[in-house]
Amino acid sequence: MNSLIAEAFFPLFAFHFSLYFVPLHALWRIVMEKKKHALRKLLEAVEKELLHKPDKKTLDRLSLLAGFQDWESFQETLHGELGGETIYGGHGRKKETPKA
């Protein structure tokens, strides 16, 4: 009679054991997948933040630090007909010596 009870009970016991006691490698895989997913989301957020263009208010404030009224006047001065090199004195250019 004991063998009949054991035969009937063992499959049920094995099923419940597998529900509560997951192998360590399976737990490790689950944890690593979650960490990998979280890291991927973090990197996507950082890339999105680094690659976006600053808003107009930020650009205007930066141009004020450079001595201009707004971003448009800074861009116009830098990329206009005269160009940045002429306005800022052409730093880095070699001075031409007069030939005799």
Side-chain angles (χ1 to χ4, degrees):
M1 179 136 182
N2 286 340
S3 64
L4 290 175
I5 294 173
E7 288 176 14
F9 180 71
F10 183 75
L12 185 62
F13 174 75
F15 174 73
H16 285 290
F17 185 81
S18 67
L19 286 179
Y20 294 109
F21 298 100
V22 180
L24 188 58
H25 69 283
L27 284 176
W28 180 257
R29 185 171 35 94
I30 292 169
V31 168
M32 293 310 290
E33 285 295 321
K34 287 187 178 191
K35 286 184 177 185
K36 186 169 120 179
H37 179 72
L39 183 60
R40 184 178 298 128
K41 293 302 250 181
L42 177 64
L43 288 175
E44 287 173 3
V46 167
E47 285 177 350
K48 182 179 178 184
E49 189 63 31
L50 289 176
L51 297 179
H52 88 282
K53 184 178 178 183
D55 60 349
K56 185 176 177 349
K57 189 175 180 181
T58 305
L59 294 173
D60 285 342
R61 288 181 179 172
L62 288 172
S63 64
L64 282 173
L65 288 173
F68 294 90
Q69 292 297 317
D70 57 9
W71 183 252
E72 287 81 24
S73 64
F74 173 69
Q75 289 294 314
E76 184 179 314
T77 304
L78 192 62
H79 300 293
E81 289 180 18
L82 296 176
E85 292 179 2
T86 305
I87 295 167
Y88 292 114
H91 296 295
R93 296 175 97 187
K94 294 182 180 178
K95 292 184 180 180
E96 295 181 19
T97 57
K99 294 183 179 179

PDB file of all heavy atoms in Angstrom, residues 17-54:
ATOM      1  N   PHE A  17       7.773  20.810  -6.294  1.00  0.00           N
ATOM      2  CA  PHE A  17       9.187  21.095  -6.043  1.00  0.00           C
ATOM      3  C   PHE A  17       9.761  21.960  -7.158  1.00  0.00           C
ATOM      4  O   PHE A  17      10.489  22.908  -6.905  1.00  0.00           O
ATOM      5  CB  PHE A  17       9.969  19.775  -5.923  1.00  0.00           C
ATOM      6  CG  PHE A  17      11.402  19.976  -5.560  1.00  0.00           C
ATOM      7  CD1 PHE A  17      11.761  20.196  -4.234  1.00  0.00           C
ATOM      8  CD2 PHE A  17      12.392  19.952  -6.528  1.00  0.00           C
ATOM      9  CE1 PHE A  17      13.078  20.384  -3.887  1.00  0.00           C
ATOM     10  CE2 PHE A  17      13.717  20.136  -6.193  1.00  0.00           C
ATOM     11  CZ  PHE A  17      14.066  20.352  -4.861  1.00  0.00           C
ATOM     12  N   SER A  18       9.389  21.646  -8.397  1.00  0.00           N
ATOM     13  CA  SER A  18       9.909  22.430  -9.523  1.00  0.00           C
ATOM     14  C   SER A  18       9.340  23.842  -9.538  1.00  0.00           C
ATOM     15  O   SER A  18       9.962  24.759 -10.058  1.00  0.00           O
ATOM     16  CB  SER A  18       9.605  21.728 -10.848  1.00  0.00           C
ATOM     17  OG  SER A  18       8.210  21.732 -11.082  1.00  0.00           O
ATOM     18  N   LEU A  19       8.155  24.022  -8.974  1.00  0.00           N
ATOM     19  CA  LEU A  19       7.577  25.367  -8.922  1.00  0.00           C
ATOM     20  C   LEU A  19       8.301  26.256  -7.924  1.00  0.00           C
ATOM     21  O   LEU A  19       8.478  27.449  -8.157  1.00  0.00           O
ATOM     22  CB  LEU A  19       6.093  25.300  -8.537  1.00  0.00           C
ATOM     23  CG  LEU A  19       5.131  24.809  -9.603  1.00  0.00           C
ATOM     24  CD1 LEU A  19       3.719  24.776  -9.037  1.00  0.00           C
ATOM     25  CD2 LEU A  19       5.179  25.703 -10.826  1.00  0.00           C
ATOM     26  N   TYR A  20       8.713  25.705  -6.806  1.00  0.00           N
ATOM     27  CA  TYR A  20       9.295  26.508  -5.740  1.00  0.00           C
ATOM     28  C   TYR A  20      10.824  26.524  -5.724  1.00  0.00           C
ATOM     29  O   TYR A  20      11.424  27.438  -5.199  1.00  0.00           O
ATOM     30  CB  TYR A  20       8.780  26.036  -4.375  1.00  0.00           C
ATOM     31  CG  TYR A  20       7.301  26.281  -4.230  1.00  0.00           C
ATOM     32  CD1 TYR A  20       6.402  25.227  -4.246  1.00  0.00           C
ATOM     33  CD2 TYR A  20       6.814  27.566  -4.096  1.00  0.00           C
ATOM     34  CE1 TYR A  20       5.041  25.453  -4.125  1.00  0.00           C
ATOM     35  CE2 TYR A  20       5.454  27.806  -3.974  1.00  0.00           C
ATOM     36  CZ  TYR A  20       4.571  26.746  -3.986  1.00  0.00           C
ATOM     37  OH  TYR A  20       3.233  26.975  -3.856  1.00  0.00           O
ATOM     38  N   PHE A  21      11.433  25.533  -6.291  1.00  0.00           N
ATOM     39  CA  PHE A  21      12.887  25.437  -6.286  1.00  0.00           C
ATOM     40  C   PHE A  21      13.405  25.443  -7.717  1.00  0.00           C
ATOM     41  O   PHE A  21      13.586  24.407  -8.323  1.00  0.00           O
ATOM     42  CB  PHE A  21      13.354  24.172  -5.543  1.00  0.00           C
ATOM     43  CG  PHE A  21      12.947  24.172  -4.103  1.00  0.00           C
ATOM     44  CD1 PHE A  21      11.846  23.447  -3.676  1.00  0.00           C
ATOM     45  CD2 PHE A  21      13.652  24.929  -3.175  1.00  0.00           C
ATOM     46  CE1 PHE A  21      11.462  23.457  -2.351  1.00  0.00           C
ATOM     47  CE2 PHE A  21      13.263  24.945  -1.854  1.00  0.00           C
ATOM     48  CZ  PHE A  21      12.169  24.220  -1.434  1.00  0.00           C
ATOM     49  N   VAL A  22      13.639  26.625  -8.224  1.00  0.00           N
ATOM     50  CA  VAL A  22      14.141  26.789  -9.578  1.00  0.00           C
ATOM     51  C   VAL A  22      15.652  26.604  -9.548  1.00  0.00           C
ATOM     52  O   VAL A  22      16.311  27.069  -8.616  1.00  0.00           O
ATOM     53  CB  VAL A  22      13.775  28.194 -10.103  1.00  0.00           C
ATOM     54  CG1 VAL A  22      14.278  28.412 -11.509  1.00  0.00           C
ATOM     55  CG2 VAL A  22      12.283  28.417 -10.017  1.00  0.00           C
ATOM     56  N   PRO A  23      16.213  25.938 -10.536  1.00  0.00           N
ATOM     57  CA  PRO A  23      17.671  25.768 -10.562  1.00  0.00           C
ATOM     58  C   PRO A  23      18.386  27.124 -10.575  1.00  0.00           C
ATOM     59  O   PRO A  23      17.894  28.108 -11.116  1.00  0.00           O
ATOM     60  CB  PRO A  23      17.922  25.010 -11.862  1.00  0.00           C
ATOM     61  CG  PRO A  23      16.621  24.376 -12.211  1.00  0.00           C
ATOM     62  CD  PRO A  23      15.557  25.249 -11.626  1.00  0.00           C
ATOM     63  N   LEU A  24      19.555  27.147  -9.970  1.00  0.00           N
ATOM     64  CA  LEU A  24      20.310  28.382  -9.820  1.00  0.00           C
ATOM     65  C   LEU A  24      20.663  29.004 -11.166  1.00  0.00           C
ATOM     66  O   LEU A  24      20.582  30.221 -11.332  1.00  0.00           O
ATOM     67  CB  LEU A  24      21.583  28.119  -9.008  1.00  0.00           C
ATOM     68  CG  LEU A  24      22.388  29.334  -8.610  1.00  0.00           C
ATOM     69  CD1 LEU A  24      21.533  30.304  -7.800  1.00  0.00           C
ATOM     70  CD2 LEU A  24      23.604  28.924  -7.833  1.00  0.00           C
ATOM     71  N   HIS A  25      21.032  28.207 -12.147  1.00  0.00           N
ATOM     72  CA  HIS A  25      21.397  28.765 -13.450  1.00  0.00           C
ATOM     73  C   HIS A  25      20.202  29.435 -14.122  1.00  0.00           C
ATOM     74  O   HIS A  25      20.357  30.420 -14.841  1.00  0.00           O
ATOM     75  CB  HIS A  25      22.013  27.690 -14.354  1.00  0.00           C
ATOM     76  CG  HIS A  25      21.059  26.650 -14.815  1.00  0.00           C
ATOM     77  ND1 HIS A  25      20.642  25.623 -14.001  1.00  0.00           N
ATOM     78  CD2 HIS A  25      20.432  26.494 -15.999  1.00  0.00           C
ATOM     79  CE1 HIS A  25      19.801  24.863 -14.669  1.00  0.00           C
ATOM     80  NE2 HIS A  25      19.645  25.360 -15.872  1.00  0.00           N
ATOM     81  N   ALA A  26      19.004  28.940 -13.886  1.00  0.00           N
ATOM     82  CA  ALA A  26      17.810  29.564 -14.458  1.00  0.00           C
ATOM     83  C   ALA A  26      17.556  30.926 -13.796  1.00  0.00           C
ATOM     84  O   ALA A  26      17.214  31.896 -14.467  1.00  0.00           O
ATOM     85  CB  ALA A  26      16.606  28.656 -14.299  1.00  0.00           C
ATOM     86  N   LEU A  27      17.738  30.989 -12.484  1.00  0.00           N
ATOM     87  CA  LEU A  27      17.588  32.263 -11.784  1.00  0.00           C
ATOM     88  C   LEU A  27      18.631  33.267 -12.260  1.00  0.00           C
ATOM     89  O   LEU A  27      18.331  34.443 -12.471  1.00  0.00           O
ATOM     90  CB  LEU A  27      17.707  32.069 -10.273  1.00  0.00           C
ATOM     91  CG  LEU A  27      16.521  31.469  -9.559  1.00  0.00           C
ATOM     92  CD1 LEU A  27      16.855  31.254  -8.089  1.00  0.00           C
ATOM     93  CD2 LEU A  27      15.315  32.363  -9.687  1.00  0.00           C
ATOM     94  N   TRP A  28      19.858  32.818 -12.433  1.00  0.00           N
ATOM     95  CA  TRP A  28      20.936  33.684 -12.890  1.00  0.00           C
ATOM     96  C   TRP A  28      20.622  34.247 -14.272  1.00  0.00           C
ATOM     97  O   TRP A  28      20.825  35.430 -14.540  1.00  0.00           O
ATOM     98  CB  TRP A  28      22.240  32.893 -12.920  1.00  0.00           C
ATOM     99  CG  TRP A  28      23.411  33.694 -13.380  1.00  0.00           C
ATOM    100  CD1 TRP A  28      24.004  33.655 -14.598  1.00  0.00           C
ATOM    101  CD2 TRP A  28      24.113  34.674 -12.624  1.00  0.00           C
ATOM    102  NE1 TRP A  28      25.037  34.538 -14.650  1.00  0.00           N
ATOM    103  CE2 TRP A  28      25.126  35.186 -13.441  1.00  0.00           C
ATOM    104  CE3 TRP A  28      23.986  35.167 -11.331  1.00  0.00           C
ATOM    105  CZ2 TRP A  28      26.005  36.158 -13.031  1.00  0.00           C
ATOM    106  CZ3 TRP A  28      24.871  36.148 -10.929  1.00  0.00           C
ATOM    107  CH2 TRP A  28      25.863  36.626 -11.773  1.00  0.00           C
ATOM    108  N   ARG A  29      20.093  33.404 -15.151  1.00  0.00           N
ATOM    109  CA  ARG A  29      19.744  33.841 -16.501  1.00  0.00           C
ATOM    110  C   ARG A  29      18.647  34.901 -16.459  1.00  0.00           C
ATOM    111  O   ARG A  29      18.717  35.913 -17.158  1.00  0.00           O
ATOM    112  CB  ARG A  29      19.305  32.646 -17.340  1.00  0.00           C
ATOM    113  CG  ARG A  29      19.049  32.992 -18.786  1.00  0.00           C
ATOM    114  CD  ARG A  29      18.837  31.754 -19.653  1.00  0.00           C
ATOM    115  NE  ARG A  29      18.158  30.666 -18.994  1.00  0.00           N
ATOM    116  CZ  ARG A  29      16.828  30.461 -19.062  1.00  0.00           C
ATOM    117  NH1 ARG A  29      16.065  31.277 -19.719  1.00  0.00           N
ATOM    118  NH2 ARG A  29      16.291  29.415 -18.458  1.00  0.00           N
ATOM    119  N   ILE A  30      17.659  34.715 -15.607  1.00  0.00           N
ATOM    120  CA  ILE A  30      16.561  35.672 -15.483  1.00  0.00           C
ATOM    121  C   ILE A  30      17.083  37.005 -14.962  1.00  0.00           C
ATOM    122  O   ILE A  30      16.749  38.071 -15.486  1.00  0.00           O
ATOM    123  CB  ILE A  30      15.456  35.110 -14.561  1.00  0.00           C
ATOM    124  CG1 ILE A  30      14.767  33.928 -15.231  1.00  0.00           C
ATOM    125  CG2 ILE A  30      14.451  36.181 -14.210  1.00  0.00           C
ATOM    126  CD1 ILE A  30      13.865  33.141 -14.307  1.00  0.00           C
ATOM    127  N   VAL A  31      17.914  36.961 -13.932  1.00  0.00           N
ATOM    128  CA  VAL A  31      18.467  38.187 -13.358  1.00  0.00           C
ATOM    129  C   VAL A  31      19.316  38.927 -14.388  1.00  0.00           C
ATOM    130  O   VAL A  31      19.216  40.151 -14.544  1.00  0.00           O
ATOM    131  CB  VAL A  31      19.286  37.877 -12.090  1.00  0.00           C
ATOM    132  CG1 VAL A  31      20.109  39.061 -11.648  1.00  0.00           C
ATOM    133  CG2 VAL A  31      18.376  37.408 -10.972  1.00  0.00           C
ATOM    134  N   MET A  32      20.154  38.204 -15.117  1.00  0.00           N
ATOM    135  CA  MET A  32      21.024  38.835 -16.102  1.00  0.00           C
ATOM    136  C   MET A  32      20.219  39.432 -17.253  1.00  0.00           C
ATOM    137  O   MET A  32      20.569  40.498 -17.772  1.00  0.00           O
ATOM    138  CB  MET A  32      22.052  37.839 -16.627  1.00  0.00           C
ATOM    139  CG  MET A  32      23.061  37.403 -15.574  1.00  0.00           C
ATOM    140  SD  MET A  32      23.836  38.764 -14.680  1.00  0.00           S
ATOM    141  CE  MET A  32      24.847  39.453 -15.943  1.00  0.00           C
ATOM    142  N   GLU A  33      19.141  38.792 -17.665  1.00  0.00           N
ATOM    143  CA  GLU A  33      18.295  39.343 -18.716  1.00  0.00           C
ATOM    144  C   GLU A  33      17.659  40.652 -18.264  1.00  0.00           C
ATOM    145  O   GLU A  33      17.579  41.607 -19.024  1.00  0.00           O
ATOM    146  CB  GLU A  33      17.208  38.341 -19.124  1.00  0.00           C
ATOM    147  CG  GLU A  33      17.708  37.207 -19.978  1.00  0.00           C
ATOM    148  CD  GLU A  33      18.211  37.677 -21.329  1.00  0.00           C
ATOM    149  OE1 GLU A  33      17.601  38.588 -21.926  1.00  0.00           O
ATOM    150  OE2 GLU A  33      19.228  37.145 -21.796  1.00  0.00           O
ATOM    151  N   LYS A  34      17.216  40.705 -17.014  1.00  0.00           N
ATOM    152  CA  LYS A  34      16.620  41.932 -16.492  1.00  0.00           C
ATOM    153  C   LYS A  34      17.659  43.044 -16.400  1.00  0.00           C
ATOM    154  O   LYS A  34      17.378  44.193 -16.727  1.00  0.00           O
ATOM    155  CB  LYS A  34      15.973  41.686 -15.132  1.00  0.00           C
ATOM    156  CG  LYS A  34      14.694  40.898 -15.237  1.00  0.00           C
ATOM    157  CD  LYS A  34      13.993  40.814 -13.916  1.00  0.00           C
ATOM    158  CE  LYS A  34      12.689  40.049 -14.097  1.00  0.00           C
ATOM    159  NZ  LYS A  34      11.842  40.151 -12.923  1.00  0.00           N
ATOM    160  N   LYS A  35      18.869  42.705 -15.962  1.00  0.00           N
ATOM    161  CA  LYS A  35      19.934  43.701 -15.888  1.00  0.00           C
ATOM    162  C   LYS A  35      20.310  44.200 -17.280  1.00  0.00           C
ATOM    163  O   LYS A  35      20.543  45.388 -17.489  1.00  0.00           O
ATOM    164  CB  LYS A  35      21.167  43.132 -15.199  1.00  0.00           C
ATOM    165  CG  LYS A  35      21.015  42.992 -13.705  1.00  0.00           C
ATOM    166  CD  LYS A  35      22.305  42.521 -13.079  1.00  0.00           C
ATOM    167  CE  LYS A  35      22.169  42.450 -11.572  1.00  0.00           C
ATOM    168  NZ  LYS A  35      23.427  42.102 -10.927  1.00  0.00           N
ATOM    169  N   LYS A  36      20.375  43.288 -18.239  1.00  0.00           N
ATOM    170  CA  LYS A  36      20.708  43.653 -19.609  1.00  0.00           C
ATOM    171  C   LYS A  36      19.651  44.591 -20.187  1.00  0.00           C
ATOM    172  O   LYS A  36      19.978  45.594 -20.827  1.00  0.00           O
ATOM    173  CB  LYS A  36      20.822  42.383 -20.452  1.00  0.00           C
ATOM    174  CG  LYS A  36      21.306  42.590 -21.852  1.00  0.00           C
ATOM    175  CD  LYS A  36      21.620  41.251 -22.474  1.00  0.00           C
ATOM    176  CE  LYS A  36      20.785  41.031 -23.685  1.00  0.00           C
ATOM    177  NZ  LYS A  36      21.048  39.774 -24.356  1.00  0.00           N
ATOM    178  N   HIS A  37      18.390  44.298 -19.920  1.00  0.00           N
ATOM    179  CA  HIS A  37      17.296  45.137 -20.397  1.00  0.00           C
ATOM    180  C   HIS A  37      17.363  46.529 -19.752  1.00  0.00           C
ATOM    181  O   HIS A  37      17.201  47.547 -20.433  1.00  0.00           O
ATOM    182  CB  HIS A  37      15.956  44.467 -20.097  1.00  0.00           C
ATOM    183  CG  HIS A  37      14.775  45.264 -20.541  1.00  0.00           C
ATOM    184  ND1 HIS A  37      14.448  45.418 -21.862  1.00  0.00           N
ATOM    185  CD2 HIS A  37      13.856  45.965 -19.834  1.00  0.00           C
ATOM    186  CE1 HIS A  37      13.385  46.186 -21.954  1.00  0.00           C
ATOM    187  NE2 HIS A  37      12.995  46.527 -20.732  1.00  0.00           N
ATOM    188  N   ALA A  38      17.621  46.579 -18.449  1.00  0.00           N
ATOM    189  CA  ALA A  38      17.713  47.866 -17.748  1.00  0.00           C
ATOM    190  C   ALA A  38      18.885  48.687 -18.268  1.00  0.00           C
ATOM    191  O   ALA A  38      18.759  49.907 -18.465  1.00  0.00           O
ATOM    192  CB  ALA A  38      17.838  47.635 -16.245  1.00  0.00           C
ATOM    193  N   LEU A  39      20.019  48.043 -18.505  1.00  0.00           N
ATOM    194  CA  LEU A  39      21.185  48.745 -19.025  1.00  0.00           C
ATOM    195  C   LEU A  39      20.917  49.283 -20.427  1.00  0.00           C
ATOM    196  O   LEU A  39      21.291  50.406 -20.752  1.00  0.00           O
ATOM    197  CB  LEU A  39      22.399  47.819 -19.030  1.00  0.00           C
ATOM    198  CG  LEU A  39      23.708  48.428 -19.489  1.00  0.00           C
ATOM    199  CD1 LEU A  39      24.100  49.589 -18.596  1.00  0.00           C
ATOM    200  CD2 LEU A  39      24.801  47.374 -19.491  1.00  0.00           C
ATOM    201  N   ARG A  40      20.253  48.495 -21.251  1.00  0.00           N
ATOM    202  CA  ARG A  40      19.920  48.940 -22.600  1.00  0.00           C
ATOM    203  C   ARG A  40      19.013  50.174 -22.556  1.00  0.00           C
ATOM    204  O   ARG A  40      19.205  51.130 -23.297  1.00  0.00           O
ATOM    205  CB  ARG A  40      19.233  47.816 -23.372  1.00  0.00           C
ATOM    206  CG  ARG A  40      18.944  48.192 -24.827  1.00  0.00           C
ATOM    207  CD  ARG A  40      18.313  47.071 -25.618  1.00  0.00           C
ATOM    208  NE  ARG A  40      19.189  45.924 -25.687  1.00  0.00           N
ATOM    209  CZ  ARG A  40      18.828  44.675 -25.370  1.00  0.00           C
ATOM    210  NH1 ARG A  40      17.601  44.430 -24.962  1.00  0.00           N
ATOM    211  NH2 ARG A  40      19.672  43.684 -25.464  1.00  0.00           N
ATOM    212  N   LYS A  41      18.019  50.168 -21.672  1.00  0.00           N
ATOM    213  CA  LYS A  41      17.114  51.314 -21.542  1.00  0.00           C
ATOM    214  C   LYS A  41      17.865  52.556 -21.054  1.00  0.00           C
ATOM    215  O   LYS A  41      17.615  53.665 -21.518  1.00  0.00           O
ATOM    216  CB  LYS A  41      15.960  50.996 -20.585  1.00  0.00           C
ATOM    217  CG  LYS A  41      15.014  49.938 -21.095  1.00  0.00           C
ATOM    218  CD  LYS A  41      14.433  50.330 -22.404  1.00  0.00           C
ATOM    219  CE  LYS A  41      12.990  50.660 -22.247  1.00  0.00           C
ATOM    220  NZ  LYS A  41      12.357  51.039 -23.506  1.00  0.00           N
ATOM    221  N   LEU A  42      18.792  52.363 -20.119  1.00  0.00           N
ATOM    222  CA  LEU A  42      19.584  53.475 -19.619  1.00  0.00           C
ATOM    223  C   LEU A  42      20.441  54.072 -20.732  1.00  0.00           C
ATOM    224  O   LEU A  42      20.511  55.294 -20.889  1.00  0.00           O
ATOM    225  CB  LEU A  42      20.465  53.015 -18.456  1.00  0.00           C
ATOM    226  CG  LEU A  42      21.411  54.063 -17.875  1.00  0.00           C
ATOM    227  CD1 LEU A  42      20.628  55.204 -17.250  1.00  0.00           C
ATOM    228  CD2 LEU A  42      22.334  53.431 -16.869  1.00  0.00           C
ATOM    229  N   LEU A  43      21.094  53.229 -21.519  1.00  0.00           N
ATOM    230  CA  LEU A  43      21.925  53.713 -22.616  1.00  0.00           C
ATOM    231  C   LEU A  43      21.096  54.440 -23.664  1.00  0.00           C
ATOM    232  O   LEU A  43      21.524  55.454 -24.219  1.00  0.00           O
ATOM    233  CB  LEU A  43      22.697  52.559 -23.248  1.00  0.00           C
ATOM    234  CG  LEU A  43      23.838  52.005 -22.407  1.00  0.00           C
ATOM    235  CD1 LEU A  43      24.458  50.783 -23.077  1.00  0.00           C
ATOM    236  CD2 LEU A  43      24.891  53.056 -22.162  1.00  0.00           C
ATOM    237  N   GLU A  44      19.893  53.940 -23.958  1.00  0.00           N
ATOM    238  CA  GLU A  44      19.019  54.623 -24.907  1.00  0.00           C
ATOM    239  C   GLU A  44      18.640  56.008 -24.394  1.00  0.00           C
ATOM    240  O   GLU A  44      18.619  56.974 -25.154  1.00  0.00           O
ATOM    241  CB  GLU A  44      17.761  53.795 -25.160  1.00  0.00           C
ATOM    242  CG  GLU A  44      18.005  52.565 -25.997  1.00  0.00           C
ATOM    243  CD  GLU A  44      16.773  51.676 -26.097  1.00  0.00           C
ATOM    244  OE1 GLU A  44      15.704  52.044 -25.550  1.00  0.00           O
ATOM    245  OE2 GLU A  44      16.872  50.610 -26.717  1.00  0.00           O
ATOM    246  N   ALA A  45      18.362  56.122 -23.107  1.00  0.00           N
ATOM    247  CA  ALA A  45      17.995  57.419 -22.531  1.00  0.00           C
ATOM    248  C   ALA A  45      19.173  58.386 -22.576  1.00  0.00           C
ATOM    249  O   ALA A  45      19.005  59.567 -22.896  1.00  0.00           O
ATOM    250  CB  ALA A  45      17.511  57.233 -21.095  1.00  0.00           C
ATOM    251  N   VAL A  46      20.377  57.892 -22.288  1.00  0.00           N
ATOM    252  CA  VAL A  46      21.565  58.751 -22.308  1.00  0.00           C
ATOM    253  C   VAL A  46      21.849  59.214 -23.736  1.00  0.00           C
ATOM    254  O   VAL A  46      22.123  60.393 -23.973  1.00  0.00           O
ATOM    255  CB  VAL A  46      22.783  58.020 -21.707  1.00  0.00           C
ATOM    256  CG1 VAL A  46      24.076  58.762 -21.992  1.00  0.00           C
ATOM    257  CG2 VAL A  46      22.586  57.830 -20.223  1.00  0.00           C
ATOM    258  N   GLU A  47      21.767  58.300 -24.710  1.00  0.00           N
ATOM    259  CA  GLU A  47      21.997  58.678 -26.101  1.00  0.00           C
ATOM    260  C   GLU A  47      20.984  59.711 -26.563  1.00  0.00           C
ATOM    261  O   GLU A  47      21.329  60.676 -27.242  1.00  0.00           O
ATOM    262  CB  GLU A  47      21.929  57.452 -27.008  1.00  0.00           C
ATOM    263  CG  GLU A  47      23.134  56.563 -26.924  1.00  0.00           C
ATOM    264  CD  GLU A  47      22.992  55.323 -27.783  1.00  0.00           C
ATOM    265  OE1 GLU A  47      21.875  55.064 -28.296  1.00  0.00           O
ATOM    266  OE2 GLU A  47      23.985  54.608 -27.937  1.00  0.00           O
ATOM    267  N   LYS A  48      19.738  59.520 -26.190  1.00  0.00           N
ATOM    268  CA  LYS A  48      18.686  60.458 -26.593  1.00  0.00           C
ATOM    269  C   LYS A  48      18.964  61.838 -26.005  1.00  0.00           C
ATOM    270  O   LYS A  48      18.810  62.854 -26.682  1.00  0.00           O
ATOM    271  CB  LYS A  48      17.327  59.949 -26.124  1.00  0.00           C
ATOM    272  CG  LYS A  48      16.179  60.814 -26.532  1.00  0.00           C
ATOM    273  CD  LYS A  48      14.872  60.242 -26.050  1.00  0.00           C
ATOM    274  CE  LYS A  48      13.719  61.155 -26.420  1.00  0.00           C
ATOM    275  NZ  LYS A  48      12.456  60.676 -25.892  1.00  0.00           N
ATOM    276  N   GLU A  49      19.412  61.888 -24.766  1.00  0.00           N
ATOM    277  CA  GLU A  49      19.684  63.163 -24.110  1.00  0.00           C
ATOM    278  C   GLU A  49      20.913  63.834 -24.709  1.00  0.00           C
ATOM    279  O   GLU A  49      20.944  65.052 -24.875  1.00  0.00           O
ATOM    280  CB  GLU A  49      19.880  62.948 -22.607  1.00  0.00           C
ATOM    281  CG  GLU A  49      19.960  64.209 -21.811  1.00  0.00           C
ATOM    282  CD  GLU A  49      18.700  65.056 -21.832  1.00  0.00           C
ATOM    283  OE1 GLU A  49      17.599  64.502 -21.940  1.00  0.00           O
ATOM    284  OE2 GLU A  49      18.834  66.279 -21.761  1.00  0.00           O
ATOM    285  N   LEU A  50      21.932  63.052 -25.061  1.00  0.00           N
ATOM    286  CA  LEU A  50      23.159  63.631 -25.598  1.00  0.00           C
ATOM    287  C   LEU A  50      22.993  64.106 -27.043  1.00  0.00           C
ATOM    288  O   LEU A  50      23.672  65.039 -27.460  1.00  0.00           O
ATOM    289  CB  LEU A  50      24.294  62.618 -25.535  1.00  0.00           C
ATOM    290  CG  LEU A  50      24.829  62.298 -24.147  1.00  0.00           C
ATOM    291  CD1 LEU A  50      25.886  61.206 -24.237  1.00  0.00           C
ATOM    292  CD2 LEU A  50      25.418  63.532 -23.500  1.00  0.00           C
ATOM    293  N   LEU A  51      22.126  63.458 -27.794  1.00  0.00           N
ATOM    294  CA  LEU A  51      22.023  63.760 -29.215  1.00  0.00           C
ATOM    295  C   LEU A  51      20.973  64.809 -29.554  1.00  0.00           C
ATOM    296  O   LEU A  51      20.907  65.246 -30.690  1.00  0.00           O
ATOM    297  CB  LEU A  51      21.727  62.475 -29.995  1.00  0.00           C
ATOM    298  CG  LEU A  51      22.819  61.410 -29.929  1.00  0.00           C
ATOM    299  CD1 LEU A  51      22.412  60.177 -30.699  1.00  0.00           C
ATOM    300  CD2 LEU A  51      24.130  61.957 -30.484  1.00  0.00           C
ATOM    301  N   HIS A  52      20.158  65.215 -28.607  1.00  0.00           N
ATOM    302  CA  HIS A  52      19.125  66.189 -28.956  1.00  0.00           C
ATOM    303  C   HIS A  52      19.709  67.600 -28.974  1.00  0.00           C
ATOM    304  O   HIS A  52      20.672  67.913 -28.287  1.00  0.00           O
ATOM    305  CB  HIS A  52      17.928  66.086 -28.010  1.00  0.00           C
ATOM    306  CG  HIS A  52      18.037  66.912 -26.766  1.00  0.00           C
ATOM    307  ND1 HIS A  52      18.797  66.528 -25.688  1.00  0.00           N
ATOM    308  CD2 HIS A  52      17.497  68.109 -26.447  1.00  0.00           C
ATOM    309  CE1 HIS A  52      18.709  67.452 -24.750  1.00  0.00           C
ATOM    310  NE2 HIS A  52      17.935  68.431 -25.174  1.00  0.00           N
ATOM    311  N   LYS A  53      19.117  68.443 -29.811  1.00  0.00           N
ATOM    312  CA  LYS A  53      19.569  69.817 -29.944  1.00  0.00           C
ATOM    313  C   LYS A  53      19.004  70.646 -28.789  1.00  0.00           C
ATOM    314  O   LYS A  53      17.840  70.510 -28.443  1.00  0.00           O
ATOM    315  CB  LYS A  53      19.085  70.382 -31.276  1.00  0.00           C
ATOM    316  CG  LYS A  53      19.574  71.773 -31.559  1.00  0.00           C
ATOM    317  CD  LYS A  53      19.098  72.255 -32.901  1.00  0.00           C
ATOM    318  CE  LYS A  53      19.575  73.684 -33.126  1.00  0.00           C
ATOM    319  NZ  LYS A  53      19.084  74.219 -34.389  1.00  0.00           N
ATOM    320  N   PRO A  54      19.814  71.524 -28.205  1.00  0.00           N
ATOM    321  CA  PRO A  54      19.313  72.372 -27.119  1.00  0.00           C
ATOM    322  C   PRO A  54      18.186  73.285 -27.613  1.00  0.00           C
ATOM    323  O   PRO A  54      18.151  73.656 -28.785  1.00  0.00           O
ATOM    324  CB  PRO A  54      20.530  73.194 -26.705  1.00  0.00           C
ATOM    325  CG  PRO A  54      21.703  72.501 -27.266  1.00  0.00           C
ATOM    326  CD  PRO A  54      21.228  71.740 -28.448  1.00  0.00           C
TER     327      PRO A  54
END
